[in-house]
Amino acid sequence: HRCDWLHAILSSVPQLTNSPTLIVMVGLPARGKTYISKKLSRYLNWIGVPTKVFNLGQYRREAVQSYKNFEFFRPDNEEAMQIRRACATNALKDVVIYFSKDHGQVAVFDATNTTRERRISIVSFSKEKGYKVFFVESICDDPDIIAQNITEVKVSSPDYVNCDKDEAQADFLKRIECYKQSYVPLDDEKDRHLSYIKIFNVGSRYLVNRVQDHIQSRIVYYLMNIHVTPRSIFLSRHGESELNLLGRIGGDSGLSPRGHKYATALGGFIKGQHIKDLKVWTSHMKRTIQTAEHLGIPYEQWKALNEIDAGVCEELTYEDIQENHPEEFALRDQDKYRYRYPNGESYEDLVHRLEPVIMELERQENVLVVCHQAVMRCLLAYLLDKTSDELPYLKCPLHTVLKLTPVAYGCRVEHICLNIEAVNTHRERPGNVDVTRDPEEALKTIPEHF
Amino acid sequence: MWIFRKCLFLPIILVSPFSLPCAVCMTNCPTLIVTVGLPARGKTYISKKLTRYLNWIGVPTREFNVGQYRRECLKIYKSFEFFRPDNEEGLKIRQQCASAALNDVRQYLADGGQVAVFDATNTTRERRETITVFAEQNGFKVFFVESVCEDPEVIAENIVQVKLGSPDYTNCNTEEAMEDFKKRIKCYENSYETLDEVLDRHLSYIKIMDVGRRYLVNQVQDHIQSRIVYYLMNIHITPRSIYLCRHGESDLNVKGCIGGDSGLSPRGKEFAKYLRQFIQSQEISDLKVWTSQMKRTIQTAEAVSVPYEQWKALNEIDAGVCEEMMYEEIQQHYPLEFAMRDQDKYRYRYPKGESYEDLVQRLEPVIMELERQENVLVICHQAVMRCLLAYFLDKTAEELPYLKCPLHTVLKLTPVAYGCKVESIYLNVDAVNTHRERPENVEVSRMAEEALLTVPAHQ
């Protein structure tokens, strides 16, 4: 029951939408469509909605092999038009496969889709297949933002691998001009029956039309909370705790002497970073609060940041768990993401309760989150786009700060080890996960403790 | 959806009230929500609903309806002529009323209020400018909520539902009232300046068009505004009913034990059958059925024989160390905890468990989805049902933990006018009573008998 797929899906997305959703991006080049597509896809996958991005530019690069210059995109280039149309058809074919064979739930069609004609054909295609359609249009007329986009992601694109920065920039601007003539934005009147969100100037204004269902409502909420202001997110666990030293999981113990040392060092590190307006978040558990106390900065406590509840296994060592609950121990190793401790939680449950934290992290700028191993794995998986298989095994050692800085389409990660000794609390998946295994096989990967 | 506490001011965690946007915003900025729109566009409906929601999630909110101030000032409403734009005297009075209301807003927000909803037409740019200045002077953030609707049917329906019954029209018949109100609307139409994309681009607002088909959202400043926008975009006015009931009587219920994950007793199974009949008799179109992930709600839904969805968020309150204990056992093993719970049942958190306050946080996504849905049957648990009911019926945090939610009784909630009609349907299958009233003596020094005085009978 605990590892039941169906209930797993239901618990994360209450609306059992049998219709897949096709999200269709709309906008001139360098308006953030791919940025939004990737971010949205990362978010949806993390909350348990299988999502995939279909980037038309990639299909074109595969079809054309080597990009010469902007002339390919001239509206009077018949040959190119044919190729581009064929790419769109292929991409949509892959969308069909993704939905029908690969159990996809949401597909993001990342292309300019700037003409009404193109959009109409996508809508008919979707109707025919029984997909819901939701348009996301990004409109931006701020030349600084556009120039910044081009620098961040276009200049380093495979298209411009043999050009210098200025050549690339100039060519790309000409490319944008090719689309401008035929660009017809979503229209208040003519497109009033479509479901869409129009994002103006990176989020200062939004127009939302005909949200059909739960997932579209969540998508709108997410899109309205993200921003592109530069900032960094710092993730750290609490300092080493008394129970950590004993190799016990969970509980609510205080810091060990080394843990206190770390907290002090963390305070020093934070000061040295000279971060503007840093927000500090902790859980409601002693060890994160004690850690934050050393920082000398105001902090906020979130119950949602509490460590995973290990239920009947709270405060046990792995050896205890093997002795008293050997079957549970094995089941957990078989599916660590979905496994729920009796009277406790699963990683999947954790993701669900961390969703508001992620939403608020998106809204904020510089934040330091002082949390716990399982919690940090979940947050990291979201920020670094890790799968649910990888998530429960992400390495989040004690006494190490991760500094995440959004850059281009992803996140740059810096690991800063503050050089204070601590026990290792990371248990790798053992070779044998069968319920019939011997205790030694189960306990093979347990880290050392007192 | 979550709790956080300001550790700056209250280092002790246990029983402090929390303030959601305050903690996030960290600047203690109260928010002034200002409605905008012609009469009969749903401004008061939105104001009241939003106020109810914000209070339920723990943000102290109050609405200030200028129409009420006008009624107190004028005493007797004669006709639409009062609202004529050339009625100098009328204008003076209306201005005074708006000022009086803003004064009360200032008082409320200074006295611990977090959000004030200023419910009036506010249809001219000039009036909105005055309010913005007032807010700036007092350090309040402003967020406008404009409702635009040109659908004559919707407007007529609004007038019927809430205007005809207004104190203004107690002495008129339906037709007279309708006629007068339409003329009233006309008085505002000429001077109506809708929020403009260009002229008002520096203001923070949401423009709701055609009862939610379309929204324009501009310059959302902070967390609470983002939540308000999300909420407003999820509510609708399509007629529907929400059915709330608990699982059938469980084996642990019979023993007088709290929590746990037991199955249905024979009477509980009986109830489930009757529930099925009841649901069928209601002939509800497209009914969604939700349960928790605990056996007793699932078994109940199984007997109803309709597809259902399980929500972990609907699980009963976690009683931590007191799980599966009878009240007598709790008194015996944890007399101090037992007393503290009686002192503040809403905020009290069982050791290693949850509080009602925690429950409200985890139920927020359920409420949000209930708002999006139409006909829904929620099969849940006593504490959970109390929280949901408190939301729909606008009950305070003090009342919430003592709301009566007996077994084997379905509550049918139907939104009507500005509130909810409740029908209580007892399905005639006996069950234990699980409702424990607050005893007289809540002191930690009390005797065991005093603590156990209100415990309901069980096996």
Side-chain angles (χ1 to χ4, degrees), chain A residues 33-51:
Chain A
K33 296 185 302 298
T34 301
Y35 175 83
I36 291 169
S37 301
K38 287 181 182 257
K39 213 169 153 72
L40 187 56
S41 164
R42 175 160 60 86
Y43 168 71
L44 290 173
N45 277 309
W46 186 76
I47 63 169
V49 180
T51 304

Side-chain angles (χ1 to χ4, degrees), chain A residues 14-15 188 196 204-206 208-210 213-214 217 220 224-225 299-302 340 356 360 363, chain B residues 2 4 7 23-24 197 213-215 217-219 223 226 229 233-234 293 309 311 369 372-373:
Chain A
Q15 177 82 34
D188 283 359
Y196 63 84
S204 63
R205 192 157 98 246
Y206 305 91
V208 180
N209 197 63
R210 290 195 183 261
D213 61 14
H214 174 89
S217 159
V220 163
M224 286 174 47
N225 280 312
Y299 57 92
E300 297 164 23
Q301 300 174 33
W302 292 65
R340 191 185 279 167
E360 191 55 25
R363 289 197 54 79
Chain B
W2 60 93
F4 35 150
C7 207
V24 180
E197 277 181 27
R213 200 145 299 162
R214 228 156 119 74
Y215 305 91
V217 180
N218 197 63
Q219 305 280 12
H223 175 86
S226 158
V229 163
M233 285 176 50
N234 280 310
Q293 286 182 1
E309 297 168 22
W311 290 68
E369 191 54 24
R372 288 197 55 79
Q373 292 289 341

Side-chain angles (χ1 to χ4, degrees), chain A residues 25-234:
Chain A
M25 303 303 299
V26 180
L28 293 172
R31 263 57 176 179
K33 296 185 302 298
T34 301
Y35 175 83
I36 291 169
S37 301
K38 287 181 182 257
K39 213 169 153 72
L40 187 56
S41 164
R42 175 160 60 86
Y43 168 71
L44 290 173
N45 277 309
W46 186 76
I47 63 169
V49 180
T51 304
K52 189 170 174 187
V53 178
F54 296 82
N55 175 283
L56 201 51
Q58 247 154 263
Y59 282 77
R60 188 257 309 155
R61 272 183 281 274
E62 255 152 72
V64 172
Q65 292 304 323
S66 98
Y67 172 77
K68 284 215 196 77
N69 61 32
F70 77 95
E71 308 256 359
F72 179 83
F73 292 97
R74 286 178 55 154
D76 54 3
N77 186 338
E78 272 303 327
E79 198 187 312
M81 276 298 185
Q82 262 194 29
I83 296 175
R84 290 159 72 191
R85 244 176 251 132
C87 287
T89 307
N90 287 336
L92 289 179
K93 275 204 187 109
D94 285 349
V95 165
V96 174
I97 295 172
Y98 179 62
F99 284 152
S100 57
K101 300 224 169 55
D102 296 338
H103 309 292
Q105 194 67 43
V106 176
V108 185
F109 186 51
D110 177 19
T112 50
N113 297 313
T114 39
T115 62
R116 178 157 288 113
E117 180 206 351
R118 168 60 60 85
R119 296 194 292 266
I120 287 174
S121 75
I122 294 174
V123 171
S124 330
F125 157 84
S126 305
K127 219 180 211 162
E128 193 201 327
K129 301 279 179 198
Y131 306 154
K132 288 186 179 179
V133 185
F134 188 75
F135 292 93
V136 177
E137 180 170 24
S138 173
I139 293 178
C140 180
D141 47 23
D142 182 335
D144 288 334
I145 298 179
I146 295 165
Q148 170 79 358
N149 282 359
I150 298 177
T151 309
E152 269 219 35
V153 294
K154 299 298 177 186
V155 160
S156 54
S157 135
D159 290 343
Y160 295 112
V161 89
N162 294 320
C163 300
D164 75 35
K165 244 177 45 189
D166 292 324
E167 285 174 346
Q169 191 107 20
D171 183 85
F172 200 85
L173 286 170
K174 291 201 191 103
R175 211 154 109 175
I176 298 177
E177 288 304 313
C178 294
Y179 284 89
K180 271 193 180 162
Q181 291 279 47
S182 58
Y183 179 23
V184 180
L186 288 168
D187 185 78
D188 283 359
E189 255 309 297
K190 298 206 181 103
D191 296 313
R192 69 186 177 283
H193 296 298
L194 298 181
S195 296
Y196 63 84
I197 179 171
K198 249 191 217 218
I199 305 170
F200 294 89
N201 286 326
V202 207
S204 63
R205 192 157 98 246
Y206 305 91
L207 185 63
V208 180
N209 197 63
R210 290 195 183 261
V211 169
Q212 297 172 51
D213 61 14
H214 174 89
I215 196 69
Q216 290 179 17
S217 159
R218 292 284 284 279
I219 288 166
V220 163
Y221 184 42
Y222 181 72
L223 292 177
M224 286 174 47
N225 280 312
I226 61 180
H227 67 76
V228 294
T229 310
R231 50 83 169 250
S232 289
I233 296 169
F234 297 82

Side-chain angles (χ1 to χ4, degrees), chain B residues 81-128:
Chain B
E81 307 260 358
F82 178 80
F83 291 97
R84 287 180 53 155
D86 54 2
N87 183 341
E88 281 295 334
E89 201 185 310
L91 278 172
K92 231 172 85 171
I93 295 176
R94 288 155 72 194
Q95 204 124 302
Q96 283 168 359
C97 290
S99 300
L102 284 179
N103 241 340
D104 287 351
V105 162
R106 190 207 329 255
Q107 183 89 352
Y108 174 68
L109 293 180
D111 274 346
Q114 193 66 41
V115 177
V117 184
F118 186 61
D119 176 19
T121 50
N122 298 315
T123 38
T124 61
R125 186 157 285 112
E126 182 199 353
R127 167 58 58 84
R128 296 194 291 267

